[in-house]
C-alpha cells in the first residue's frame, strides 16, 4: 500500500493486486460475537517516522495514540501465592541514553549488582556501528554474555525488548538487528521508544483507511487475485499474469517472491526460503469486569509476555477484553487453543489479582505461523535491496534490506524505497508510467 501510494502520488497509473479479499497484510481484524478482534497486536515507537507518515497519508493518524513518555509496567508473579512484584520502565526528562537510568536502578526484577552491570552493555551498544557486517555473525545473547550480562538480566531486561521487536529471544537473534532496535529506540533519542498503538481495530486503521486513500489517488485495486509470475514482456515492461506494466513492484512474502520473480532477479534468490519464519500467537480473554487499568503491560518469569487492553477498540461495552501477545511462539503452535487459553488465564491471574476474582466470559486464540522472517545470524546477506537485476522491477517487504527487523516501520520503508527505485528507472525510458 505504501508503494502504491508513493507511485500514484508521483503521477503513475497504478494497479495494486492483492491475493486476499482485503487489504492490510498481516494486520487485520475480524468479527467475533459482535466484537472487532485483531489477529494480533502491533505497536510502534515514536521513532517509526515512516510508518507515522504513512498513517498521515491515509488519514489514520488520529486513530492512534502515543505515550507522552515511555511507561511500561513490568509484572512478575509472587512466590507461593504472594502478591505480584511490579516494576516500571519509565523514561525521565534526561537526555538519551540516561532517560531510563533511574527506573533501571530501581528495577525490582533484577538484583542491584546485576542492574549496575546493565550500563556496561548499554555503553558498548552505543559504540557499535550498524554498518559493521560482522554484527550479523553472532547472536545478541552471546554478545550480551561477553559484556557481563547474566541470564537473569537477559530474561528480565534484554528479552523484554528483543522478543517483541525481533521476534526471537536474544539467544537466537542476530546482533545486527537487536543492536538496531536498542540504538535507535533507546540510545540516540530519549523519546524514540515511546510506545504507540491503534485506538481502532487494525483492519479499520490500515485496510479500510488505505482503501479510501488508494481510491482517491486513482489506484486500481484487484482483490482476491494471486499473481503466479512476473516476467519481462517481449514489447518491454513486464507481464504480470494478464496485466502489462512498464514497472512492477513485487511485495510478497520471501518464499513466494522467490517463485514469482524472474530467475536471478535478486541475489541468493534460490536461498530466500532460508530466511525462515518466526511465529506470533495471541490469546484473547474476555472478562465480566475490568481487571486492570493499564493500557499495556509486560511480564517476566511468566509464560505471558505482553498484555494489551483492547476493550474500547473491540466495541465491548461491559467487562474487559485483554489480548495477550506471545512472540517467538513456534513451540506453542501444536498446543490446542483451549489448553493455551487455560494456561494463559492462570498465568494472568498470578500477575493481576483482580483477574482471579473475575469471570472469564469468552476466549479465543489467533496464530500467525509466518509472522516474520527468522532474524538469526547470517540473515543480512539474504535480504535483498529494492532494486533487482531487471530495470523497472523492484521488491518490497519487511524481509528486504531495510536495516530494520520485520516491523510495520520496515514494511513502509521497503514499499517507499521500492517505489522510488521503480519510478527512477521508469523515468529513464520512454513508457506510459503504469506501475503494478
Amino acid at each position: 500500500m505504501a508503494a502504491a501510494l508513493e507511485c500514484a502520488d508521483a503521477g503513475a497509473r497504478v494497479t495494486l493486486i492483492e491475493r486476499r479479499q482485503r487489504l492490510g497484510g498481516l494486520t487485520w481484524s475480524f468479527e467475533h460475537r459482535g466484537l472487532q478482534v485483531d489477529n494480533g497486536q502491533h505497536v510502534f515507537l515514536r521513532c517509526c517516522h515512516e510508518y507515522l507518515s504513512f498513517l498521515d497519508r491515509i488519514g489514520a493518524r488520529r486513530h492512534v495514540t502515543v505515550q507522552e513518555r515511555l511507561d511500561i509496567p513490568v509484572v512478575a508473579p509472587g512466590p507461593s501465592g504472594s502478591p505480584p512484584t511490579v516494576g516500571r520502565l519509565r523514561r525521565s526528562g534526561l537526555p538519551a541514553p540516561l532517560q531510563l537510568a533511574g527506573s533501571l536502578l530501581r528495577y525490582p526484577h533484577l538484583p542491584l549488582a546485576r542492574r549496575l552491570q546493565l550500563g556496561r552493555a548499554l555503553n558498548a551498544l552505543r559504540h557499535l556501528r550498524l554498518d559493521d557486517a560482522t554484527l550479523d555473525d553472532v547472536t545478541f545473547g552471546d554478545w550480551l554474555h561477553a559484556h557481563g550480562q547474566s541470564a537473569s538480566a537477559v530474561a528480565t531486561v534484554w528479552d523484554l525488548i528483543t522478543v517483541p521487536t525481533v521476534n526471537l529471544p536474544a539467544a537466537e537473534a542476530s546482533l545486527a538487528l537487536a543492536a538496531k532496535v536498542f540504538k535507535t529506540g533507546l540510545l540516540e533519542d530519549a523519546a524514540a521508544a515511546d510506545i504507540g498503538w491503534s485506538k481502532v481495530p487494525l483492519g479499520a486503521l490500515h485496510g479500510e483507511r488505505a482503501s479510501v486513500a488508494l481510491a482517491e489517488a486513482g489506484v486500481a485495486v484487484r482483490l482476491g487475485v494471486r499473481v503466479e509470475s512476473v516476467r519481462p514482456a517481449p514489447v518491454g515492461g513486464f507481464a504480470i499474469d494478464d496485466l502489462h506494466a512498464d514497472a512492477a513492484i513485487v511485495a510478497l512474502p520471501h518464499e513466494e517472491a522467490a517463485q514469482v520473480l524472474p530467475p536471478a532477479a535478486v541475489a541468493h534468490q534460490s536461498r530466500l526460503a532460508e530466511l525462515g519464519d518466526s511465529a506470533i500467537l495471541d490469546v484473547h480473554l474476555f472478562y465480566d469486569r475490568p481487571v486492570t487499568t493499564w493500557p499495556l503491560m509486560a511480564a517476566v518469569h511468566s509464560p505471558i509476555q505482553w498484555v494489551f487492553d483492547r476493550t474500547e477498540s473491540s466495541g465491548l461495552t461491559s467487562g474487559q477484553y485483554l489480548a495477550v501477545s506471545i512472540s517467538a511462539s513456534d513451540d506453542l503452535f501444536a498446543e490446542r487453543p483451549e489448553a493455551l487459553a487455560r494456561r494463559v488465564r492462570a498465568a494472568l491471574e498470578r500477575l493481576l489479582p483482580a483477574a482471579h476474582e473475575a469471570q472469564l466470559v469468552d476466549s479465543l486464540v489467533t496464530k500467525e505461523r509466518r509472522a516474520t522472517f527468522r532474524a538469526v545470524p547470517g540473515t543480512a546477506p539474504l535480504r535483498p535491496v529494492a532494486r533487482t537485476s531487471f530495470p523497472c522491477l523492484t521488491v518490497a517487504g519487511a524481509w528486504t534490506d531495510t536495516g530494520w527487523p520485520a516491523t510495520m516501520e520496515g514494511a513502509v520503508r521497503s514499499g517507499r524505497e521500492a517505489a522510488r527505485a521503480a519510478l527512477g528507472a521508469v523515468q529513464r525510458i520512454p513508457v506510459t508510467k503504469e506501475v503494478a
Side-chain angles (χ1 to χ4, degrees):
M1 296 186 294
L5 288 168
E6 189 83 10
C7 291
D9 290 346
R13 291 188 293 118
V14 182
T15 299
L16 188 156
I17 304 172
E18 167 59 56
R19 64 178 178 175
R20 303 177 182 88
Q21 293 293 343
R22 55 164 180 80
L23 296 177
L26 291 177
T27 64
W28 54 283
S29 309
F30 59 95
E31 185 174 326
H32 174 74
R33 299 184 179 179
L35 301 176
Q36 287 296 311
V37 175
D38 296 329
N39 68 310
Q41 302 312 300
H42 296 266
V43 300
F44 59 93
L45 305 181
R46 194 183 294 277
C47 62
C48 294
H49 303 300
E50 292 292 317
Y51 173 69
L52 287 166
S53 173
F54 171 74
L55 293 183
D56 284 331
R57 176 62 184 83
I58 64 174
R61 184 72 171 263
R62 69 184 185 276
H63 297 308
V64 301
T65 186
V66 183
Q67 293 177 323
E68 184 176 345
R69 285 189 178 182
L70 175 68
D71 183 3
I72 307 171
V74 184
V75 190
S80 304
S82 300
T85 301
V86 180
R88 302 294 278 254
L89 290 180
R90 291 172 168 160
R91 77 170 173 93
S92 68
L94 294 174
L98 301 176
Q99 73 275 23
L100 290 180
S103 64
L104 288 174
L105 286 173
R106 295 186 298 270
Y107 194 61
H109 306 305
L110 198 60
L112 178 59
R114 300 300 188 188
R115 290 176 235 163
L116 295 173
Q117 290 176 339
L118 294 172
R120 176 183 172 187
L122 286 168
N123 187 55
L125 276 170
R126 288 184 64 201
H127 293 90
L128 290 179
R129 291 181 49 189
L130 295 179
D131 60 356
D132 181 355
T134 65
L135 300 187
D136 191 50
D137 294 340
V138 298
T139 69
F140 187 39
D142 285 344
W143 184 90
L144 288 172
H145 179 72
H147 289 79
Q149 302 306 291
S150 64
S152 60
V154 172
T156 61
V157 176
W158 299 105
D159 271 348
L160 197 68
I161 298 170
T162 306
V163 171
T165 55
V166 183
N167 203 18
L168 284 178
E172 300 179 47
S174 167
L175 170 60
L177 290 176
K180 170 62 179 177
V181 168
F182 283 92
K183 283 180 68 74
T184 302
L186 293 175
L187 300 176
E188 295 174 351
D189 179 359
D194 298 342
I195 298 175
W197 60 87
S198 177
K199 298 184 292 185
V200 300
L202 289 174
L205 181 72
H206 296 150
E208 293 178 16
R209 287 305 313 160
S211 292
V212 173
L214 289 162
E216 291 174 345
V219 175
V221 177
R222 296 185 182 183
L223 297 176
V225 178
R226 180 183 289 272
V227 171
E228 301 294 338
S229 69
V230 176
R231 295 291 183 267
V235 295
F238 295 91
I240 305 168
D241 293 346
D242 64 336
L243 176 71
H244 178 271
D246 299 317
I249 299 169
V250 175
L252 291 168
H254 54 274
E255 307 97 326
E256 296 178 39
Q259 303 302 317
V260 169
L261 288 167
V266 298
H268 308 299
Q269 187 167 327
S270 64
R271 297 179 55 202
L272 287 183
E274 294 178 28
L275 281 171
D277 49 71
S278 190
I280 299 176
L281 67 80
D282 280 64
V283 178
H284 308 262
L285 303 175
F286 301 84
Y287 290 96
D288 67 340
R289 70 196 75 174
V291 298
T292 180
T293 59
W294 294 323
L296 59 82
M297 58 171 271
V300 294
H301 305 313
S302 170
I304 287 174
Q305 295 173 5
W306 285 76
V307 181
F308 301 89
D309 182 1
R310 302 301 289 164
T311 306
E312 184 176 352
S313 68
S314 71
L316 185 65
T317 56
S318 62
Q320 190 169 34
Y321 159 32
L322 299 180
V324 179
S325 183
I326 305 176
S327 300
S329 54
D330 302 70
D331 59 332
L332 299 179
F333 262 63
E335 195 166 344
R336 293 180 60 84
E338 299 84 358
L340 273 171
R342 283 194 302 270
R343 186 150 61 87
V344 167
R345 177 191 181 186
L348 192 60
E349 290 177 356
R350 297 190 62 196
L351 302 173
L352 298 173
H356 183 74
E357 305 300 327
Q359 179 183 353
L360 186 68
V361 177
D362 194 11
S363 67
L364 71 149
V365 175
T366 53
K367 301 178 180 181
E368 289 290 350
R369 182 176 294 277
R370 296 180 174 178
T372 68
F373 69 88
R374 198 166 190 83
V376 296
T379 294
L382 299 177
R383 300 178 71 185
V385 297
R387 290 179 174 82
T388 72
S389 59
F390 295 84
C392 303
L393 173 64
T394 61
V395 293
W399 57 273
T400 61
D401 185 12
T402 66
W404 286 68
T407 58
M408 296 188 297
E409 173 74 2
V412 173
R413 285 175 177 265
S414 77
R416 288 180 164 174
E417 177 59 28
R420 292 166 188 147
L423 289 166
V426 164
Q427 291 169 0
R428 292 193 289 271
I429 59 175
V431 294
T432 59
K433 288 181 74 178
E434 181 166 346
V435 180

